[in-house]
């Protein structure tokens, strides 16, 4: 009652609205200025993200996580190399082969692990299976997703164990952080501890799922990669001429830690639903995604009540909460699940 | 007096602000909805552009002209083919080799011609120079820019002559229309006559230089190309998750022919300056770019008065007007040039 | 006694000598002639292979199986498509990512199945797992290896079942026939029945492992692909200037069915060894490869006796026989295995 | 009289026979051995070429000059870089876009210069025309052909001037030496002086036009590039399994300086023809190619006498002599030209 169909959509944080402060920032930066990334807003990104990460970084805006991921991977892996990632990683599963395009044909070498998380022994075993000769593709990079595609968060110590391995084996280390904010909010680990202090070379820092409109940030802890990636960004058609309105979005998200507040809100909504779900939970809820065992009949019942979400295999559904999910919709969904 | 430095910038329409109606459209579409291009705004694009072009088209939003150009070219030219274009074409000169990236290594075969315009005999001669064997790269597509990189507009009859040749020689035909609106405004030819009726297969229809924020349209008159290009768009990281806010921009620009009004304003500003420039003009002014013979000392004098613009070779400058260029700044510039 | 170390090498048919008639053919074609593939020997290939396959084919020489495989796959699969193949396929495992290079980034979608053979239900299941949207890479081609990487031969009926599926699902169908001759010799099925009559579009027909020196044949049953592939061959640096000496090799191998006689000899040697191996055999021996359960101590013992071969995992070895394997070496090896 | 049509072919050294010692070397290496490049012949290449070049080099066999050129260029130029070369360079003109394929889309930046030779000022001017920003493709490598496509030889001092420039500007330096032997024979400069002492990083050392059958050598003076290029060679399908028969050819050509003797023979034949041609010569003859002004009627008359050659534009023909061109054919051609 009082909730429209829109508020009851739990199928993707991609579909959420942008935060009003982000819209305001766009409007404020909307004046004749310098094209591309020569403007003052773009010029402030390096410093702003360096502050957040407590070290010198280079920060580039891009419009999609796919672009952020693949620009980083192309700089970390040659065309004849392989990128180790989980079998359910977004780069393998949902990017239309973009890593193959951006790297000019590198291979994704797929790892198993519960909840789409990668463990050091799986990485080491995969590397050890490769003969060191010219006939087999040699691993060059490792990519993990934090929070993972199943809503699990890596702790700083887990990332660091992978980072140690990456360094020992000579691998570049990339983190797909489409929901990095949710992982920070969930673990309480600092952005620095979750990334460069743990050996991460490049982070795709997602904002669009978390209140941004169309600006993501590619954060380079290996600052030596930045100039090449800036060229690749242009070459991929991702250097927007009014970049100031992307930079302004990112700055608005950083301002007063809006990114963290939004992620906390989405995580809290997910916890409320998880609490109602009991042993229907397939994975612990450590971010803003909830995977539930729900029969087709039960799923139909939830839909009849107006809730919208994805089926995720036989007898499983996925629910995703957003920064702006109204409390009432969340409460109703929790109640509906409890009542199944 | 009363004009800030910003208003006196004539170096690129890329740097202009977005139109208030575009900003408003973004704000209005900013609500939880469907991700990617499954939303209602994206769903209206095909019909809206089909109306404008008086035929059935497929219309895809992208964020840059480079992406629009290269997605089209990749669909029209195989990796082992060549794209005929002018030596000064944006795709050759200012896109960081993006056509090579998107086409997986196709060659740009460069043509000469005054004012960055391509003539049929130059195209035919270039094709005839290629031996028909496996040792030489065979032309597969033709790309022209309208208005051209030097601000000249092709008339419908000129495009049609190239279109006839393209069809006879089996070439795909692409138009880079970063300033297509200016060409329409300048020639009075209809969008249909300047494109598909003249044999054009795909048009990169620019809005960002003309009042848009970050949405360009790729218009496919060969609608059979659309599904493949939609895949390539995703693969290139150009399928934004909140695409509704790109589609809404385009719809706002089409509404009430805002695109045409903006282009007329920019063209009129250019004409005012051209009228003052006399025989300093290097090319006729047929869009919103003005190229002038101006000595270094004269250029310094203009800059001393606060005007901003690019040098364009020894003794030459480029001025570009925007849809929102204030009349006063234009008048002052015209007067300053007349007074040199 | 009387056998040198060379004769006792069973590690790869790649390492075998070329047949004297092949060497003679090279010498005979060694005169000033026309460059590339304009010579009379190259000109006879289409007809010679059309005879063998009982249908009109186009036949191109190349120097490696990798080139043959990848040229075919690049014509059958777009950069944004996927090639279905077995997890142990040579194209996945031993070609340094060449399919990624030649296709400009297509994905290999890996299938399981005993003995490196692919079954229709595994193919269908893999296709069905892919969502039909732009986010996931869509299968475009199927590639099988006959005889398989574990020495198993597909019968014509098995290939036909896959061919039916490929046609239904719109997949191109490629056969890696590095040991196609061994499969023909083993099954008794005709070359035609094993390929185009079963729906195969392109065959990499191996000769180098079977008595050739450095000429493989790419056989195109879809003759419409030939012109594009000829361009891709040149573009990949595989159009040798003295191609007549490759064509002459292939003609020598076809002459009097030398290819079949050689394959029968190698298969017979494998059968002799298999007969001695009893339940050490991991797979049935249907070509010229033998995989055995042999402890590290036993393997060491065989090596002490002078035999050379690859370890193939813990407690497993691979033996490969060649067309020119001397009977005495084979007998000795069989005896040595029996005596373990 | 006594001469067949074959002996009177002067259209390409590509079409010449292989030297008998090369054929003998193939036959001698034709025994069961180790596959790929693990054999003893391949193992001797580094030392043999290091001797010839008076420095430590890495030498890889490949089967075509296109492969040698493009493997080197891919190692010297990133996908987003440009290769400076002459407008008439083989890599631009006759390799079907192979550099675009191997480099994954790098650009060839074309230079002018008489006789297909590149001069330092042309190189410097081309570099200086490029804005140092992300919008324009930045030069990364320089490639020259010695002897040039018009049969002119660079002297060591000329190469060194280019090498100095390349080093100053941070460019990799590649030499296409399809007719390097002819250049050495013509200039009398040492292989070392013409290459690494002059700053060359990688040389495509041609043997196939000069008596080899199908083995070219890629010589790496920057030995740090060798391992990556070996991977790329495999990935491009250019790692032949019986590589020993390529290595044996190269060793046979080096033995007793057969390569130099052959080149001298071809050059001498060219000089004999040049002497008869007088002011018909378009370029000085410094290798084994002769370009003549000959009217269509005169060309027809030469063909009527049985000579075979290419037209090379209106009123121009190209004659190429080979290592095995019979003296009588050369004398007759010289006489026929003198008699025109």
């Amino acid at each position: 009652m009082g909730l429209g169909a829109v508020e009851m959509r739990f199928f993707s944080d991609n579909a959420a609205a942008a935060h009003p402060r982000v819209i305001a920032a766009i409007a404020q930066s909307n004046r004749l200025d310098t094209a591309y990334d020569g403007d003052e807003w773009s010029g402030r990104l390096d410093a702003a993200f360096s502050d957040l990460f407590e070290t010198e970084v280079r920060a580039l805006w891009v419009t999609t996580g796919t672009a952020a991921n693949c620009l980083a991977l192309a700089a970390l892996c040659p065309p004849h190399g392989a990128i180790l990632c989980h079998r359910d990683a977004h780069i393998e599963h949902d990017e239309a082969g973009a890593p193959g395009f951006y790297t000019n044909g590198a291979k994704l070498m797929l790892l198993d692990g519960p909840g789409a998380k990668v463990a050091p022994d799986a990485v080491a075993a995969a590397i050890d299976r490769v003969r060191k000769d010219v006939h087999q593709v040699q691993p060059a990079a490792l990519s993990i997703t934090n929070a993972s595609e199943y809503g699990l968060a890596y702790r700083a110590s887990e990332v660091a164990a992978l980072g140690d391995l990456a360094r020992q084996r000579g691998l570049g280390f990339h983190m797909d952080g489409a929901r990095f904010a949710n992982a920070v909010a969930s673990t309480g680990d600092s952005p620095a501890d979750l990334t460069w202090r743990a050996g991460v070379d490049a982070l795709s820092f997602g904002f669009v799922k978390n209140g941004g409109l169309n600006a993501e940030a590619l954060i380079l802890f290996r600052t030596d990669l930045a100039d090449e990636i800036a060229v690749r960004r242009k070459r991929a058609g991702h250097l927007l001429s009014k970049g100031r309105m992307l930079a302004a979005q990112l700055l608005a998200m950083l301002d007063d830690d809006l990114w963290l507040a939004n992620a906390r809100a989405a995580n809290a909504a997910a916890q409320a639903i998880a609490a109602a779900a009991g042993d229907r939970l397939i994975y612990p809820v450590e971010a803003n995604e909830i995977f539930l065992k729900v029969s087709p009949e039960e799923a139909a019942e939830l839909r009849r009540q107006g809730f919208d979400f994805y089926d995720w295999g036989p007898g499983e559904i996925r629910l995703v909460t957003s920064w702006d999910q109204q409390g009432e919709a969340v409460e109703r969904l929790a109640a509906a699940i409890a009542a199944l």
Side-chain angles (χ1 to χ4, degrees), chain A residues 11 41 61 75 206 235 293 311 328 338:
Chain A
F11 66 85
W41 294 270
W61 44 253
R235 177 171 168 86
K293 281 174 272 187
D311 292 321
E328 189 182 343

Side-chain angles (χ1 to χ4, degrees), chain A residues 1 12 21 32 45 62 83 85 99 159 183 199 223 231 241 292 300 307 311 325 332 337:
Chain A
M1 188 169 304
S12 176
R21 280 161 56 186
L32 191 149
L45 289 184
V62 288
I83 298 156
C85 67
V159 180
T223 54
V231 171
S241 54
L292 298 182
F307 300 105
D311 292 321
Q325 214 88 38
R332 277 205 209 172
I337 291 169

Side-chain angles (χ1 to χ4, degrees), chain A residues 258 286 325:
Chain A
L258 178 58
E286 300 178 353
Q325 214 88 38

Side-chain angles (χ1 to χ4, degrees), chain A residues 104-302:
Chain A
N104 300 299
K107 183 186 283 292
L108 298 189
M109 206 167 273
L110 304 181
L111 307 172
D112 292 301
K117 283 181 72 176
V118 168
D121 57 352
V123 175
I127 298 172
D128 291 340
R129 272 195 299 273
V130 178
R131 292 194 318 267
K132 301 295 172 289
D133 64 24
V134 301
H135 300 269
Q136 297 208 323
V137 179
Q138 303 299 312
L142 169 65
S143 178
I144 65 170
T145 308
N146 197 18
S148 85
E149 284 76 6
Y150 285 107
L152 299 180
Y154 289 86
R155 275 70 187 168
S157 59
E158 296 174 292
V159 180
L162 290 164
D164 286 347
L165 183 63
R167 193 177 53 250
Q168 289 160 20
R169 302 301 186 102
L171 304 178
F173 191 8
H174 166 254
M175 181 179 285
D176 177 351
R179 294 187 182 94
F180 182 70
N182 304 88
V184 172
S186 171
T187 60
D189 290 335
S190 75
D193 285 346
L194 281 170
T195 56
W196 65 273
R197 283 203 193 108
V200 172
D201 296 315
L203 168 71
S204 304
F205 192 162
F207 289 92
V208 171
K209 294 178 196 294
N210 192 33
L213 196 158
N214 52 19
E216 309 278 27
L218 176 53
I219 308 298
L220 301 168
F221 306 107
R222 278 192 51 197
T223 54
D224 61 304
L225 299 176
D227 289 346
E228 177 190 324
I229 289 179
V231 171
R232 289 182 180 270
R233 177 175 65 171
K234 170 66 190 177
R235 177 171 168 86
H238 280 287
L239 184 64
L240 276 68
S241 54
K242 298 181 181 173
R244 58 194 180 276
M245 299 190 227
L246 300 181
Q249 291 180 50
L250 298 177
L251 294 170
M253 289 293 293
L254 292 184
D255 197 30
D256 233 356
D257 284 340
L258 178 58
W259 65 280
L260 195 52
N262 282 357
R264 284 177 176 147
N267 284 7
Q271 288 301 329
I273 295 167
D279 56 9
R280 291 180 182 276
L281 285 177
I282 301 171
Y283 300 106
V285 173
E286 300 178 353
N288 63 329
E289 295 185 292
I290 307 127
F291 294 83
L292 298 182
K293 281 174 272 187
V294 165
S295 71
E297 294 72 28
E298 293 168 328
E301 169 60 22
L302 290 175

